[in-house]
Amino acid sequence: MRRPRLLAWLGGMPDVETLLPILQRVAERGALDVDAHLYGKLLRKEPRLAKATTHPALRLRLSSKLRMRFLWHRDATRADGIVSIADPVLDRSPTRRRSNALSRGGHAVAFVQHGVLQTAVNHLPDMPPPAFAAERLLLWDRPGPPLDPTDPRCVTIGFPKRPLLDPVTPPPALAAWRASHRTAILVCHSFRWPGKRFADDAVPAFFTMLEEVARAAPEIGLILRGHRVKREAVSDALEVALVQRYPNVLRCGTGAAAILTGPIDDAIAVCDAVVGPISTVLLDAAYRNRPTAAFDDDPTALQGVGRIRDAADLTAFARDPSDDGSEALRRRFGDMDGNLDRAAGALEDWLGA
């Protein structure tokens, strides 16, 4: 009997990080045929992907940007369903033309959440219920505003982003810097949605706090990392100023931390603990067994994770990182192996396998 065919386009690292572990589990279970296309240039940009994408049950097709964005019609027509991190009518990314065409053409699509705080999924809860076109919504947590908790399309799968790449080996300069500090803390930041999520003075106040810690506690090493795509010129300038003034501060991608330009896993691997805004990085760290704490940008989100409100909080956490927050996140968002089975099962059920 013919197995239903599931199609996926992996056009960038966010697609790979979220969808590849799920597709590999689907292929292992054998109830669906998986037709997965990987943008070939990613292998040149990140050579470690070659090992991560070698799997006994799933063979990826290498595709060009032209085929994936414009010459995709034949692949979509042959598929019974498409799985994506972008809903067909809510996509605002470079793939929106393809997404809109999929919607107009009536193609069946399943949406997978790819961020712990995501617009239309759980961010800006006072917005009207979003008009998702997807037939299934695979969510990391139980649905709540702005989603309708009773929507039968919603399936809770837990956190599905299994680590894919072997960590980089720290070069001598980074290893020496790391050894010269009592603890090394990865400090992530992103000030997106200003005026809605962050006050006007959030950026200077944040970097003032970091400077207080760097000056008062030179035994604590701070590695700073902004959002990998959504960069802010003001934040970049303040990062540079801190690095120039304090030898216990590094920036990912420059100086001794020049190698830390790729996935967040590389930076997590060289640090003892992670602090950041309410974002996916906290789950990335928790599932890599690093103590985590959150800046107090959303007091109601991710309950159970310790909050960093000022320099004293950050210094105390850095000197004695607690794993309570990571344990709370793992309890809430599930065992990784079970999460991937839930995601695969939801797709199988959707396509009638």
Side-chain angles (χ1 to χ4, degrees):
M1 186 174 71
R2 175 184 173 276
R3 294 184 296 185
R5 179 183 291 264
L6 179 68
L7 171 64
W9 292 292
L10 308 178
M13 286 306 296
D15 299 298
V16 172
E17 292 163 355
T18 299
L19 295 180
L20 184 58
I22 295 173
L23 295 172
Q24 289 175 339
R25 182 57 53 90
V26 170
E28 290 168 0
R29 289 162 61 108
L32 301 176
D33 282 334
V34 180
D35 182 18
H37 297 248
L38 176 69
Y39 180 34
K41 191 174 181 180
L42 292 178
L43 291 174
R44 297 193 296 275
K45 293 174 65 176
E46 179 47 85
R48 291 175 292 170
L49 264 182
K51 179 179 177 182
T53 56
T54 300
H55 190 275
L58 177 63
R59 183 175 181 179
L60 300 176
R61 299 190 189 194
L62 297 186
S63 288
S64 66
K65 187 173 292 186
L66 176 67
R67 175 170 180 169
M68 296 179 74
R69 290 194 184 176
F70 300 102
L71 305 179
W72 49 266
H73 303 80
R74 183 179 179 185
D75 296 323
T77 300
R78 295 170 61 223
D80 296 287
I82 301 165
V83 62
S84 174
I85 64 171
D87 182 81
V89 298
L90 301 178
D91 189 2
R92 301 295 181 266
S93 76
T95 62
R96 60 185 177 275
R97 287 188 177 182
R98 183 185 68 199
S99 293
N100 291 336
L102 290 171
S103 179
R104 292 194 303 270
H107 295 277
V109 176
F111 164 82
V112 183
Q113 180 179 349
H114 68 276
V116 73
L117 197 64
Q118 189 170 343
T119 301
V121 174
N122 53 19
H123 184 51
L124 302 178
D126 56 344
M127 68 185 290
F132 278 90
E135 296 181 3
R136 285 291 186 278
L137 308 178
L138 276 59
L139 307 176
W140 296 358
D141 203 2
R142 293 182 296 275
L147 290 176
D148 178 359
T150 65
D151 189 332
R153 297 176 299 171
C154 296
V155 180
T156 302
I157 62 170
F159 184 61
K161 292 177 59 179
R162 181 179 62 201
L164 293 171
L165 305 181
D166 292 335
V168 297
T169 300
L174 181 56
W177 178 91
R178 173 64 190 85
S180 68
H181 294 90
R182 173 179 170 178
T183 55
I185 306 299
L186 178 62
V187 180
C188 298
H189 61 87
S190 175
F191 295 94
R192 301 165 67 193
W193 304 300
K196 296 180 180 178
R197 181 177 173 193
F198 294 99
D200 292 339
D201 64 346
V203 174
F206 175 77
F207 283 94
T208 297
M209 176 187 68
L210 295 185
E211 182 163 16
E212 289 181 34
V213 176
R215 182 177 58 248
E219 78 280 8
I220 296 173
L222 304 176
I223 297 182
L224 311 184
R225 181 183 172 103
H227 193 282
R228 61 180 169 185
V229 176
K230 308 293 185 180
R231 306 292 298 184
E232 300 101 3
V234 173
S235 296
D236 286 348
L238 291 171
E239 275 195 1
V240 171
L242 278 179
V243 170
Q244 291 174 341
R245 287 197 293 267
Y246 301 99
N248 57 332
V249 181
L250 298 179
R251 296 182 75 209
C252 285
T254 64
I259 197 170
L260 303 180
T261 59
I264 191 69
D265 289 346
D266 293 338
I268 291 173
V270 301
C271 293
D272 298 294
V274 177
V275 297
I278 300 299
S279 68
T280 308
V281 67
L282 301 180
L283 274 73
D284 289 326
Y287 280 84
R288 288 142 186 83
N289 298 310
R290 291 295 192 276
T292 62
F295 297 119
D296 204 28
D297 50 288
D298 188 342
T300 65
L302 299 187
Q303 294 296 316
V305 178
R307 290 305 200 262
I308 303 296
R309 298 175 178 84
D310 53 30
D313 287 345
L314 180 54
T315 302
F317 177 76
R319 286 177 170 158
D320 185 19
S322 167
D323 197 35
D324 292 348
S326 290
E327 291 178 357
L329 290 175
R330 291 191 295 267
R331 286 194 301 270
R332 175 171 174 177
F333 289 92
D335 168 73
M336 182 64 67
D337 203 49
N339 295 347
L340 294 175
D341 273 327
R342 275 188 290 275
L347 293 171
E348 293 164 358
D349 178 69
W350 170 51
L351 294 180

